[in-house]
Amino acid sequence: MPVALCTLGARVLADLVLPQDCAGCAVPGALLCPACRARLARPRLAEPRRHPPGFPPTVAAGAYAGPVRPAVLAFKERGRAELAGPLGTALALAVVAVLTGLPPAPPGRPGSAGPLVLVPSSAAAVRSRGRDHVRELARSAVVELRRAGVPAVTLPVLGRAGRTRDSAGLDAAQRRANLAGRFRARPVVLPPGSRLVLVDDVVSSGATLTEAARALAALDRGGEDTPVLGAVVAATPRRVRRPAVPPPPGAFTVRC
């Protein structure tokens, strides 16, 4: 078994048998304490500070700030795989919220809750972490959506082409240049009334979702006008406060 998988398994086992601390604020007793869970149940439009052309309408379940940031980083970078549950529930809330903002589907052509299109991680990132964290989030979100009676599936249509630099330390323009042309969409037949929802963990500059949406726009969808939307766990807040998106009826709660 690969060393990374052994390490990950050991961490998960330790989290199961040892007392847990909140991944957001370190309060003992739960994966996410009630206050941190509440921060991931406040859907809002993701608005990058320098809004890139082509950025799809995107909803985040919460702001990538305060205790939400360490919770996401614990899941993504520090092997806290068990956080896929509550963070996936937050992602499901964002999916429902962004779809709620669309006009109703034409009569006789009902829309679905997806498909959810995963933003692919680079091969180097997957090797480094020993796992595909976005796939884990999407899988958890689909379970939550189906549990709520909302049909949802994932669509593995996007892939990466070429190499990209680590985005840490890059400004918005450098991130866009780094990702330009790096996503490829495989041919796919979509049912009438489909709405494609790009899913990822975090939006900061918006470069990743913009480039992924551009790749999806190149798909031949048989003349259909298929909306491309985005849903993420959290988004970097703008300096100017924007009103939150009201949660849809029967919105999900983020469980510990």
Side-chain angles (χ1 to χ4, degrees):
M1 181 180 294
V3 173
L5 292 180
C6 292
T7 303
L8 176 60
R11 288 176 179 171
V12 172
L13 180 60
D15 286 329
L16 290 174
V17 299
L18 297 176
Q20 294 177 328
D21 292 340
C22 172
C25 65
V27 168
L31 290 178
L32 287 177
C33 71
C36 291
R37 295 201 309 269
R39 291 174 179 267
L40 285 170
R42 302 171 183 171
R44 66 198 60 217
L45 287 174
E47 298 180 290
R49 292 172 184 172
R50 295 184 178 180
H51 203 287
F55 180 72
T58 300
V59 168
Y64 190 55
V68 169
R69 182 182 176 92
V72 172
L73 288 176
F75 169 71
K76 181 177 180 178
E77 304 292 354
R78 300 188 182 103
R80 293 288 299 272
E82 71 278 14
L83 286 164
L87 297 184
T89 302
L91 180 60
L93 172 61
V95 169
V96 172
V98 76
L99 289 171
T100 301
L102 285 184
R109 299 175 65 186
S112 67
L116 306 187
V117 179
L118 283 62
V119 173
S121 302
S122 69
V126 172
R127 286 195 301 270
S128 174
R129 298 180 183 123
R131 48 195 270 267
D132 187 337
H133 75 288
V134 177
R135 188 174 301 279
E136 292 173 8
L137 278 177
R139 186 182 301 121
S140 177
V142 166
V143 169
E144 192 68 31
L145 288 164
R146 290 178 177 175
R147 183 180 291 124
V150 182
V153 295
T154 57
L155 185 67
V157 65
L158 278 181
R160 286 202 178 227
R163 294 184 178 181
T164 56
R165 297 165 55 192
D166 188 336
S167 62
L170 302 182
D171 61 26
Q174 290 170 328
R175 290 188 181 207
R176 289 195 294 271
N178 186 42
L179 289 166
R182 292 300 185 234
F183 293 119
R184 294 286 186 270
R186 293 182 284 274
V188 63
V189 177
L190 298 174
S194 294
R195 286 88 60 85
L196 297 176
V197 183
L198 284 163
V199 295
D200 204 355
D201 55 353
V202 172
V203 162
S204 51
S205 71
T208 301
L209 284 186
T210 298
E211 189 58 35
R214 184 175 294 118
L216 290 179
L219 283 173
D220 181 5
R221 298 194 284 268
E224 285 285 327
D225 183 14
T226 305
V228 177
L229 308 166
V232 296
V233 174
T236 301
R238 296 187 66 172
R239 291 188 178 92
V240 178
R241 184 178 294 277
R242 303 292 184 182
V245 178
F252 304 99
T253 57
V254 183
R255 298 189 301 273
C256 62

